[in-house]
Amino acid sequence: MCIRHRKDTLELIKSALADSNRSNRKVVCVSTQVIEAGVDISFEKEIRFTAGMDSIIQTAGRCNRSGEIEGRGDVYVLSCIDENLNRLEEMKRAKMSTENLLMEYSNR
């Protein structure tokens, strides 16, 4: 997406979210990492594939950012079984580091 298309799409998402708060409808947004940094948008729940912890934290920063639900929102991190990162070594290493970190702390 060029910058203009990205901006227009984010405005459509924000408008849909505002409408959903008034009408009790749910909005589902499927996105790439482009929605992470520098985007002021808020969802009740976040679901994303495992990535580097910095990317997961960026995603979590979009969860209940505007306080649309009481308490904290839920962030789910999923591993894609057949994801092929063989040509993306840096992303592969970041994902493996995150998986190791999550495994270490899930045993506590």
Side-chain angles (χ1 to χ4, degrees):
M1 283 185 162
C2 72
I3 293 171
R4 183 75 230 163
H5 291 136
R6 179 176 173 233
K7 196 172 192 178
D8 290 346
T9 300
L10 288 171
E11 288 305 317
L12 285 171
I13 294 168
K14 287 179 183 181
S15 177
L17 288 168
D19 290 346
S20 75
N21 289 337
R22 289 190 291 273
S23 66
N24 237 4
R25 286 180 326 151
K26 299 296 181 190
V27 174
V28 176
C29 174
V30 179
S31 173
T32 63
Q33 293 178 1
V34 74
I35 203 164
E36 288 179 359
V39 177
D40 185 18
I41 199 163
S42 182
F43 297 97
E44 290 182 20
K45 298 183 185 309
E46 297 282 341
I47 303 169
R48 71 152 301 136
F49 284 154
T50 309
M53 189 54 74
D54 56 333
S55 293
I56 293 171
I57 291 168
Q58 281 287 343
T59 298
R62 306 292 161 265
C63 190
N64 202 25
R65 184 183 187 105
S66 301
E68 47 284 311
I69 59 172
E70 191 174 318
R72 290 187 253 171
D74 296 319
V75 178
Y76 300 93
V77 180
L78 308 175
S79 287
C80 179
I81 294 171
D82 59 355
E83 183 176 36
N84 184 349
L85 298 176
N86 290 335
R87 295 184 177 195
L88 303 167
E89 282 301 318
E90 187 175 324
M91 292 178 80
K92 186 177 180 179
R93 280 192 304 274
K95 177 184 175 181
M96 287 173 33
S97 293
T98 298
E99 287 173 339
N100 290 336
L101 181 70
L102 292 173
M103 190 173 299
E104 181 179 330
Y105 282 92
S106 70
N107 293 330
R108 292 180 183 207

